[in-house]
Amino acid sequence: MADHLLLLMSLALSGSLMAVTVAFFRTLLKKRTPRAFWYYLWLLALLRFLCPLGTQQSLSDRLMERPAELWVTVSEAEEGRPVPEKEGAITIAGEGDKSETKFWPYVLAALWGLGAITALAARYFGCRRLRQELDRTAYPADEWEQAVYRQLAGRRKDVPLLLRTGGVESPVLIGLFRPIIYLPEEKLERRALLYALSHELVHWRRRDLAYKHLVVLVTSLYWFDPVVWLMARAIDRDSELSCDQEVVKNMSLHQRTDYGRTLLWAAERQGRGVRPLSAPFGSQKNCLRERIEAIMKVRKTSKLTKAALWVVTSAAAISFVVVGAYAGGERTSSAAEPTVVQGPVPSEEVSVPAELSWPFEGGQEVKISALFEGRVHPITGKRSEHMGIDFVLEKETPVLAAAQGTVTEVGYNTEYGNYVELSHGGGLSTKYAHLVSGDFCQEGDQVTAGQQIGAVGKTGKSTGYHLHFETMLDGVWVDPMDYFPEARVTNGAA
């Protein structure tokens, strides 16, 4: 359940970031670009709210994944101390039973579900009730109005019905599967009727009502996110503006002026607010000025503007992938998956170091953000795969060799960042990752226990300064804690 909540929150975050990205570019370029471009670009943001696909490298996933934190008090290593048994060497206090039920995710899920169902039902039942009210008083439009409508529709036979009713103040298109254009009781003159019907037919041809259903779905699922509601208002506005531009694109200045007068007439009668899941010809007065200015300043799209639109589209597509979504609680290493051995298996023929020194100065309290074989997620309570230990240390804290050995590899990759690997004989090797740089040693160098081989950084896949430390025996990952001196480990900041 908690994983599902994390996924929902990550989708809200990534969708909001996409919406803000589109809104930013729209504000910069809206006066120079066709509104239809922004109207359809909003679809990318809507899909980001609904698309649960993501990777463990995405921004949303990294923000949602926060490790459980432990504190370890490290004592100085003592020479000659025997290897402690795992159960006696470490005591973990206060973790509790990982399988105990957490009720708060279910409470949050219930609150979210109640809000989503309420918002969805209010819009859909409101639309159904409105449709029933209109149908009770509706009757066919006059013959001359039907003739004008057939002329605009052309040869298409599947156009919406044209009815008249006293339940609307201006022409409106309603109905996804059985669309109907309703005309008000007050009859329009021929030219005004021509403009209004042309506007509604553009909505119908573009399947704008299906688009509006998608917006209602997203706003209902994310009722708690104010960005969603602002985006819905912007989509509604761009829908009307782009529809107007499509209708007037071949009109003369005089015809566009007449079209603007018809919009004023419809706005004066738009008294009942915006109806759910409908495409009205009129609009609220706060949008009217922008609509009239847009139809009076129709301009062709320049080559430079077209190039800018390609850049914006590319940036939005990249943002869609980069922000991603929460990929789930399971974390895997980028390396090949090995067989995990719980403790060291010393070779009988070759001497293996019985004990390792801490890879940093001892005698201090150090925070561990992830243990071997996984970490416990603070929300889900699940353990996820992790082939080492993460020590949270200050930036550029000296990283020390855990035992005498040879530097076998100094390198960089996207997972570990800068790292150093040492061989200590007997098949035992150690790795130190997310270092500031690899300038402290070179491959082939001989190092002693406690010698500095690097400094703490946050290179690679890392959200903060820490040292990722691994031990391997004969190429198999083993728990580093089995090689360390006794330590007291407690959770939290106690």
Side-chain angles (χ1 to χ4, degrees), residues 170-184:
S170 65
V172 60
L173 173 67
I174 298 178
L176 179 61
F177 300 108
R178 191 171 64 90
I180 297 175
I181 297 177
Y182 294 97
L183 298 178

Side-chain angles (χ1 to χ4, degrees), residues 83-90 482:
V83 180
E85 295 295 329
K86 186 178 183 66
E87 295 178 353
I90 306 171
D482 288 328

